[in-house]
Amino acid sequence: RRTLLDDMGSLFASANGFAQIALLDVEADHPAREALEMLARVLWRAQNVSHGLASEDAAGACRLRSTDLRRVAREAVEAAQGIVPSGVDVHLHVPRVRAPVRADDGVLVRLVIHLLREALTSLEASPRGRVDVVVEWGTPAHPGMAAVIVRDDGAGMDAESLRQARRLLYTDVEHDARDGLGLWLAERVARRHEGRLEIESAPGAGTEVRLLLPLMDEPVREG
């Protein structure tokens, strides 16, 4: 089932890509543009639903083992390079200290990519933007925990928009954003890993999502 959902998601993603390319060649007042934009939104939603349900299946069968969050963050940022729009900078910040957590590294990489995609979507209306991916551990606010943080300087969300973004499917009507899985999937995966998700956002102040996971043992400093 998970393989089928993944394949369907990839098919919808490819179709959406072609729709987006077609939109580049269609004038703003072309009679077919509205229908093409609607098609792109439907394909985007179908893509997210397929990948999201596949990831939920994967999260339900997580193989938890010692995982270095720094490697997870590096792989996610590298994999996401192909979806970073022009004018947006993605910065990775990792410590020199390895902080192992019990996790399924493949599922976590996909989750961080999902959070990156959501952050990049929030920057679509900006000519320039920045996304930071940060790995940290043992901060005073979160003792005994390691974190992967995805922070953007996009439009941000008010309390109601943030509540909507936690649903399985949502549409950000205020900012004319596309339909998506939002943070529902991230929270499900965090719980599967005995962790939690924290979100801070405000209009005009961007959004910060923190994936918190329990540390396995004492962090190890590398030379």
Side-chain angles (χ1 to χ4, degrees):
R1 178 175 180 270
R2 187 165 67 244
T3 301
L4 176 60
L5 287 167
D6 262 334
D7 290 344
M8 290 174 60
S10 298
L11 177 63
F12 288 132
S14 298
N16 181 45
F18 283 118
Q20 296 294 335
I21 292 172
L23 280 170
L24 296 176
D25 295 326
V26 176
E27 299 293 336
D29 58 350
H30 194 283
R33 184 173 183 86
E34 184 177 352
L36 194 55
E37 288 176 343
M38 183 179 297
L39 174 62
R41 285 196 296 271
V42 170
L43 290 170
W44 173 265
R45 182 167 185 158
Q47 168 194 338
N48 278 342
V49 170
S50 299
H51 282 321
L53 294 177
S55 295
E56 185 187 356
D57 282 354
C62 285
R63 297 186 299 275
L64 303 182
R65 53 189 177 271
S66 179
T67 299
D68 185 357
L69 282 184
R70 300 175 306 170
R71 181 171 61 82
V72 168
R74 290 188 183 108
E75 289 185 9
V77 170
E78 181 178 353
Q81 288 302 314
I83 62 174
V84 178
S86 176
V88 174
D89 296 319
V90 177
H91 298 269
L92 175 64
H93 312 269
V94 297
R96 295 184 61 185
V97 177
R98 181 174 62 86
V101 297
R102 280 177 51 80
D104 187 316
D105 53 351
V107 172
L108 283 191
V109 168
R110 291 190 61 175
L111 173 57
V112 177
I113 293 173
H114 175 71
L115 295 177
L116 272 167
R117 183 181 291 114
E118 291 296 306
L120 294 170
T121 298
S122 74
L123 296 169
E124 286 183 339
S126 304
R128 298 199 59 82
R130 176 180 175 123
V131 176
D132 289 283
V133 180
V134 183
V135 175
E136 63 181 26
W137 59 268
T139 62
H142 304 102
M145 305 289 283
V148 178
I149 301 167
V150 179
R151 181 189 305 122
D152 68 70
D153 61 357
M157 294 179 283
D158 58 22
E160 176 58 22
S161 296
L162 185 56
R163 186 184 70 81
Q164 291 291 327
R166 291 178 182 270
R167 299 173 57 193
L168 170 58
L169 291 172
Y170 79 102
T171 302
D172 187 349
V173 178
E174 180 181 356
H175 296 109
D176 194 28
R178 292 177 290 190
D179 299 323
L181 281 167
L183 301 171
W184 172 87
L185 173 62
E187 292 184 323
R188 293 286 292 251
V189 174
R191 288 198 296 269
R192 297 285 189 181
H193 286 79
E194 301 178 349
R196 67 182 187 273
L197 207 69
E198 293 183 351
I199 307 109
E200 292 184 5
S201 187
T207 301
E208 178 173 305
V209 180
R210 292 184 293 272
L211 172 64
L212 297 162
L213 302 172
L215 283 167
M216 279 187 62
D217 48 37
E218 288 298 318
V220 179
R221 182 173 296 277
E222 298 179 346

